Amino acid sequence: MNTVLVGVQWGDEGKGKVIDVLTESHDVVIRSQGGNNAGHTIIIGGKKYVLHLLPTGLLRRGKRAIIGNGCVVDPISLVKEIKTLRKKKISVEKRLYLSDRAHVVLPLHCHLDGERENAAKGKKIGTTRRGIGPTYQDKINRVGLRMHELIDGTDLEKKIRARVSEANRLCRALGWKTTSATQMIRECKSAARFLKPYICDTTDLIHKYDSQGKHLLFEGAQGTYLDIDFGTYPFVTSSNTTSGGACTGSGLPPTRVTQVIGTLKAYTTRVGEGPFPTESDKIGDMLHDMGREFGATTGRARRCGWFDAVMTRYACRLSGVTELALTNLDGLDSLDSIQVCVAYRLDGKRMNVPPAGAEALSRCQPIYRKFKGWNTDTSKCTRYRDLPEPARAYLKAISELSGVPLGLISVGPRRDQTFFAPGK
Ligand code: GDP
Ligand code: IMO
Ligand code: MG
């Protein structure tokens, strides 16, 4: 069983919690795209963990974890993340593997990310400023630095100095701040020494695990509408967050994927700029007043809105989703009535799929279907049949509108606040 998990909204769908539950039945958890822009929250035994680049599977004893070639790795921040886990008595020794082909996020890339955002004024993307875009830009531009070069050390200093000097010329021309290579080199060398034992050919390892019949679980980061091709471009991240990214970002062939789980919230959220047809202050105020929906990486308040089935339906088709994992049903517990967007109206036409352009999407008017609220606390439900009837009707509609059967349902952040739909 090789499972790919993707977010089918704008990220933060509760992937961390779902991965944690699924890890029990898998052997190896693999990140295949993105970097420490992700923030996956898991609550175990009352303790909260937020993982950024490390795969969530590491929180379960004995499980192995891989950071694949498609990821961008900030070595300095990764060392900190490993040390933070160590302090919480979780060791990654002999069970974390880091691809020798993954690209390195240098402090330079974080600097460029920040400067570009600062200069963008009204046209910000609202990035996490973790250097993700500039690192993928260097990768595609074929001037990036990969992990094997970081640990090999040959000419490392020369390579970093050359890259910084080129970037500084650009910064000066644009009136941006410049940056210095010296401290960057020192910090990178120190992180490289620390990370060296973890770095290997992870694709070879994945093939070995697969041939041994081990169960692989691909932990998607971000969500479908942040995908560089299919997201609300340019308000997206710089990697393929859809299921194809799991293959190119790890080296597992598509023929070896057995199931794709689409994670979604019972409503919609988004962090950062960009169009959001079903955005609603009513839901946002309600969730923020409950202390919910603040970003796990940047702490920003997430924008919130009604469930958008146009998006989830298209996202499920894009990733070949075979089953849904729905989280945060309890977030809607106190509403009398709930809306779901079933189609858009754009320039007088009904649209069943999202348009290509962000500008067009920002003009889409949601066509809503109204559902009865349940006004009941669902967070203590432990079986599907414990849910109030209107909640079951809502779930059934979400599954039908998204075109995929429902599997896992989550009614709270803890492991035990999880159950499965009938027949799963
Ligand atoms: P991810 O990036 O997809 O892993 O999601 P985040 O961790 O960024 O955000 C999801 C938030 O929802 C976290 O604070 C989780 O602890 C929380 N969460 C996940 N599932 C549930 C749920 O069913 N109910 C509630 N109340 N919180 C949940
Ligand atoms: P997880 O894995 C939600 C958003 C940023 C911004 C855009 C580009 O926790 O779901 P970037 O720093 O990637 O260049 O920012 O993407 N973004 C996320 N939003 N969840 C995430 O990850 C995100 N990772 C990036 O807010 O809008
Ligand atoms: Mg998150």
Side-chain angles (χ1 to χ4, degrees):
M1 180 174 56
N2 294 331
T3 307
V4 172
L5 180 133
V6 292
V8 297
Q9 294 162 322
W10 271 297
D12 302 329
E13 295 92 345
K15 298 178 295 293
K17 145 129 199 202
V18 176
I19 288 279
D20 176 55
V21 172
L22 296 177
T23 302
E24 200 173 9
S25 54
H26 290 77
D27 304 295
V28 190
V29 182
I30 302 157
R31 276 282 306 269
S32 52
Q33 44 73 224
N36 62 344
N37 49 346
H40 297 175
T41 316
I42 305 97
I43 296 184
I44 307 168
K47 270 198 201 151
K48 179 173 166 176
Y49 302 85
V50 181
L51 297 187
H52 297 286
L53 181 57
L54 288 174
T56 302
L58 286 167
L59 298 181
R60 287 206 185 242
R61 194 164 295 170
K63 303 290 177 174
R64 309 213 166 156
I66 291 175
I67 297 175
N69 56 281
C71 293
V72 288
V73 178
D74 179 333
I76 301 163
S77 124
L78 181 59
V79 170
K80 284 190 194 139
E81 206 175 334
I82 293 173
K83 288 184 176 169
T84 305
L85 269 197
R86 251 189 216 165
K87 277 195 198 126
K88 296 188 175 181
K89 306 261 180 295
I90 296 171
S91 162
V92 303
E93 257 31 77
K94 299 215 164 55
R95 57 196 197 100
L96 172 68
Y97 305 92
L98 194 48
S99 171
D100 47 9
R101 291 169 172 83
H103 276 251
V104 179
V105 181
L106 295 168
L108 167 70
H109 296 113
C110 301
H111 173 77
L112 293 174
D113 197 355
E115 288 299 296
R116 184 170 301 158
E117 283 287 272
N118 292 342
K121 301 258 158 43
K123 290 190 175 151
K124 277 189 194 358
I125 291 172
T127 74
T128 59
R129 299 183 180 232
R130 298 296 190 268
I132 307 299
T135 306
Y136 278 117
Q137 183 181 346
D138 278 5
K139 172 177 174 173
I140 300 302
N141 212 11
R142 296 158 297 179
V143 295
L145 185 74
R146 307 207 294 181
M147 292 305 281
H148 65 88
E149 296 173 273
L150 183 78
I151 51 161
D152 169 35
T154 318
D155 291 339
L156 178 66
E157 201 167 324
K158 221 162 106 189
K159 285 176 190 164
I160 296 181
R161 280 197 194 283
R163 188 67 200 90
V164 170
S165 141
E166 188 191 5
N168 278 346
R169 282 203 297 279
L170 179 79
C171 288
R172 271 186 221 102
L174 294 170
W176 297 358
K177 283 192 202 124
T178 55
T179 185
S180 141
T182 309
Q183 186 178 349
M184 205 178 295
I185 291 166
R186 197 174 336 111
E187 286 180 340
C188 283
K189 279 186 171 168
S190 154
R193 276 193 298 277
F194 185 98
L195 294 175
K196 192 169 180 174
Y198 302 101
I199 297 170
C200 65
D201 180 342
T202 50
T203 300
D204 188 40
L205 195 61
I206 286 171
H207 293 165
K208 271 187 199 144
Y209 285 147
D210 187 38
S211 64
Q212 290 165 3
K214 296 218 182 317
H215 300 315
L216 313 178
L217 175 60
F218 291 82
E219 175 172 350
Q222 290 82 51
T224 301
Y225 292 96
L226 293 170
D227 182 282
I228 186 74
D229 286 281
F230 296 105
T232 50
Y233 193 90
F235 303 99
V236 292
T237 191
S238 302
S239 64
N240 280 118
T241 60
T242 37
S243 61
C247 295
T248 54
S250 71
L252 185 85
T255 45
R256 297 300 306 153
V257 174
T258 37
Q259 58 171 350
V260 181
I261 297 186
T263 312
L264 36 73
K265 274 182 179 146
Y267 46 93
T268 312
T269 64
R270 157 162 226 177
V271 215
E273 305 303 318
F276 184 169
T278 63
E279 188 166 16
S280 147
D281 287 346
K282 179 181 165 186
I283 297 209
D285 292 346
M286 174 187 81
L287 292 163
H288 294 144
D289 287 348
M290 291 156 82
R292 294 166 65 149
E293 300 307 346
F294 292 92
T297 297
T298 56
R300 290 175 290 178
R302 293 178 184 145
R303 299 158 62 193
C304 304
W306 301 110
F307 187 86
D308 185 340
V310 179
M311 299 184 69
T312 59
R313 188 164 55 229
Y314 195 63
C316 288
R317 281 161 55 194
L318 276 172
S319 283
V321 171
T322 51
E323 194 173 304
L324 296 176
L326 184 134
T327 71
N328 285 277
L329 182 67
D330 55 306
L332 301 178
D333 279 353
S334 58
L335 293 172
D336 293 324
S337 75
I338 300 171
Q339 304 200 88
V340 169
C341 169
V342 294
Y344 299 146
R345 192 162 302 286
L346 177 65
D347 299 331
K349 281 199 210 104
R350 189 183 165 104
M351 308 264 300
N352 293 313
V353 293
E359 189 276 330
L361 185 62
S362 71
R363 288 189 292 109
C364 283
Q365 292 299 317
I367 300 173
Y368 285 116
R369 190 185 296 171
K370 216 173 186 174
F371 288 82
K372 200 168 159 232
W374 43 93
N375 252 314
T376 314
D377 179 7
T378 58
S379 69
K380 294 184 185 67
C381 295
T382 54
R383 292 165 307 182
Y384 187 79
R385 63 173 186 270
D386 294 343
L387 289 172
E389 204 284 318
R392 279 183 273 150
Y394 184 71
L395 289 175
K396 190 164 171 270
I398 282 184
S399 163
E400 280 169 7
L401 288 165
S402 303
V404 181
L406 197 56
L408 181 150
I409 296 154
S410 167
V411 290
R414 300 193 316 263
R415 275 178 184 169
D416 60 346
Q417 291 174 303
T418 316
F419 48 87
F420 288 84
K424 291 288 162 188

